[in-house]
Amino acid sequence: MYVVESKGGAIVCMLFSLFFLGTWPAIMTLLERRGRLPQHTYLDYTMTNLLAAVIIAFTFGEIGSGEPNFLTQLPQDNWPSVLFAMAGGVVLSVGNLSTQYAWAFVGLSVTEVITSSITVVIGTTLNYFLDDKINRAEILFPGVGCFLVAVCLGSAVHASNSADNREKLTGYSNDYKTREGATHISVSKEMNLNIVGTKDLENGSEKAKVGSAGFLIELENRRAIKVFGKSTMIGLTITFFAGVCFSLFSPAFNLATNDQWNTLKDGVPHLSVYTAFFYFSVSCFVIAIVLNISFLYHPVLNLPRSSVRAYLTDWNGRGWAFLAGFLCGFGNGLQFMGGQAAGYAAADAVQALPLVSTFWGILLFGEYRRSSRRTYTLLAGMLSMFIVAVGVLMASSGHRKS
């Protein structure tokens, strides 16, 4: 098998992982905003996510002089480590499934900030002790502190942007409530919105400008998950739940590959990154298939009911969903490859993926467009703190003893 041995190689893996893991959520969000049911998208995504693990196992897991190879380990009596890997896959799959609903309610940027920060604060601390403290604590934990500051700024960004949107929609309602054929909106302090009609937005002459009230209404009418009239606490609750799930998958994978609790029998080698990642991805796949097929027939959050037949015939955006699965699969694989070399605590630097997600959110979706100066200031502060955090966590990288 191929082994990443140098600190530089580990950092390269982390940087590619950071880009991939920050990009796939943007693709999933784009499909939801175009009206594709998240159950359909996630079923597509999970297939290529597993395929990425299989490709990694039969390439990196079989080349090079490192031992043991992927196929060599499959028949070995290593089930305690396999179960740890599969447990990590379960919590990751549930976390990813949760975030696709949270993105609609809270927004791509804030969702990623909160989940990533929870992951770093809990997961990185657990990994530091599981890795026998190979990372430099005097650098690592200030980096964790930077993530805590970032999540506070992220919450402030969300609150400020929500206030901006409420003001836009209030003004829109006052300006158009007496116009024949215009959309009428009732806006409460909780930003509960009730769309009575959708005829002739912006006079029907041109599309609403990005960030305007008309744009927000058009988006609501087009998207799969309707958020107007629903409390933002729903989205925040889902987001925090996803963050806790994400914080556990990396420590579970760490236990699977390094057996810190001595669960393997004498003479049985530790699982390689590639073997562990294969089992990890299989459990991701199984949980995702079971839950999403269930959600087709028993949807949550008032989504329309669907079926396996409807899913199979829905080719709208399927290629993008397949791409998202590949990006996530290779991103996770690269994160684990880097973590095995430099320490899983340092590899949690990829949780700065909101830097990438926020970029896509602003570029593709117009997030924070036409917002207040306060929102822009908080956004800049949040992104700056994430830049500092990822640099500090990478600087804490150690080197695992053979």
Side-chain angles (χ1 to χ4, degrees):
M1 67 175 179
Y2 175 75
V3 179
V4 178
E5 297 180 343
S6 68
K7 181 177 177 179
I11 290 177
V12 170
C13 288
M14 295 178 205
L15 289 175
F16 275 104
S17 176
L18 175 63
F19 177 75
F20 292 164
L21 293 178
T23 299
W24 78 266
I27 296 174
M28 303 281 272
T29 301
L30 178 66
L31 294 176
E32 185 276 322
R33 286 180 169 227
R34 290 180 174 178
R36 193 167 198 249
L37 289 177
Q39 306 98 303
H40 292 189
T41 298
Y42 202 85
L43 284 168
D44 289 335
Y45 149 90
T46 198
M47 293 179 187
T48 49
N49 187 63
L50 175 62
L51 181 57
V54 172
I55 292 172
I56 288 173
F58 281 98
T59 53
F60 292 111
E62 288 292 310
I63 65 174
S65 58
E67 293 291 341
N69 288 339
F70 168 66
L71 290 176
T72 303
Q73 288 206 300
L74 289 183
Q76 292 177 349
D77 185 13
N78 46 29
W79 279 104
S81 293
V82 169
L83 291 176
F84 278 122
M86 296 183 78
V90 169
V91 291
L92 178 65
S93 185
V94 173
N96 283 340
L97 181 60
S98 301
T99 54
Q100 69 172 347
Y101 294 97
W103 293 325
F105 285 94
V106 185
L108 178 62
S109 302
V110 173
T111 298
E112 297 303 305
V113 165
I114 294 175
T115 56
S116 293
S117 297
I118 294 173
T119 301
V120 168
V121 172
I122 300 175
T124 299
T125 302
L126 292 174
N127 278 324
Y128 171 73
F129 291 103
L130 288 173
D131 282 337
D132 197 25
K133 304 178 183 180
I134 67 173
N135 301 98
R136 298 172 62 185
E138 68 274 15
I139 299 178
L140 177 69
F141 288 105
V144 173
C146 290
F147 275 100
L148 279 173
V149 174
V151 75
C152 294
L153 289 172
S155 299
V157 169
H158 172 61
S160 180
N161 194 54
S162 295
D164 293 342
N165 289 340
R166 190 182 304 118
E167 184 176 347
K168 294 174 188 176
L169 291 163
T170 302
Y172 187 91
S173 178
N174 291 336
D175 289 343
Y176 288 92
K177 64 184 178 181
T178 60
R179 178 173 296 179
E180 182 179 358
T183 299
H184 173 69
I185 312 168
S186 60
V187 186
S188 72
K189 291 182 180 180
E190 292 79 18
M191 200 177 170
N192 292 328
L193 309 173
N194 179 33
I195 300 179
V196 177
T198 57
K199 180 182 178 183
D200 225 6
L201 274 176
E202 301 288 340
N203 280 337
S205 57
E206 59 180 81
K207 292 183 67 174
K209 294 181 179 180
V210 176
S212 67
F215 174 81
L216 296 176
I217 298 166
E218 288 180 350
L219 173 61
E220 174 72 3
N221 293 333
R222 186 172 60 247
R223 72 189 316 163
I225 302 174
K226 306 300 182 184
V227 299
F228 283 7
K230 294 184 175 67
S231 170
T232 56
M233 282 305 297
I234 295 175
L236 289 173
T237 300
I238 297 172
T239 301
F240 278 100
F241 172 74
V244 173
C245 291
F246 289 150
S247 69
L248 299 176
F249 83 84
S250 181
F253 194 91
N254 194 346
L255 286 166
T257 54
N258 295 297
D259 192 35
Q260 291 92 335
W261 293 352
N262 299 314
T263 58
L264 294 175
K265 295 179 180 179
D266 292 341
V268 177
H270 294 173
L271 286 187
S272 71
V273 171
Y274 311 107
T275 308
F277 186 47
F278 172 77
Y279 285 113
F280 175 94
S281 300
V282 167
S283 65
C284 271
F285 176 81
V286 172
I287 291 296
I289 292 294
V290 171
L291 290 178
N292 278 282
I293 289 180
S294 174
F295 288 161
L296 288 176
Y297 296 95
H298 306 284
V300 296
L301 301 174
N302 296 320
L303 282 165
R305 191 173 184 273
S306 186
S307 66
V308 172
R309 182 176 181 177
Y311 158 69
L312 292 174
T313 58
D314 179 14
W315 287 89
N316 181 28
R318 175 157 287 164
W320 287 108
F322 285 156
L323 176 61
F326 273 124
L327 290 174
C328 184
F330 283 110
N332 285 328
L334 287 167
Q335 176 186 356
F336 295 143
M337 289 167 64
Q340 187 65 16
Y344 285 95
D348 282 338
V350 302
Q351 296 305 325
L353 59 90
L355 288 171
V356 180
S357 295
T358 299
F359 169 78
W360 291 122
I362 292 172
L363 182 67
L364 294 178
F365 312 133
E367 286 189 353
Y368 311 113
R369 195 75 59 88
R370 300 174 182 270
S371 293
S372 64
R373 180 176 296 179
R374 170 185 168 82
T375 299
Y376 289 141
T377 301
L378 290 169
L379 178 64
M382 179 189 75
L383 296 178
S384 297
M385 192 54 61
F386 261 91
I387 292 171
V388 172
V390 69
V392 171
L393 256 67
M394 285 189 173
S396 75
S397 299
H399 190 274
R400 190 180 306 278
K401 297 178 181 179
S402 301

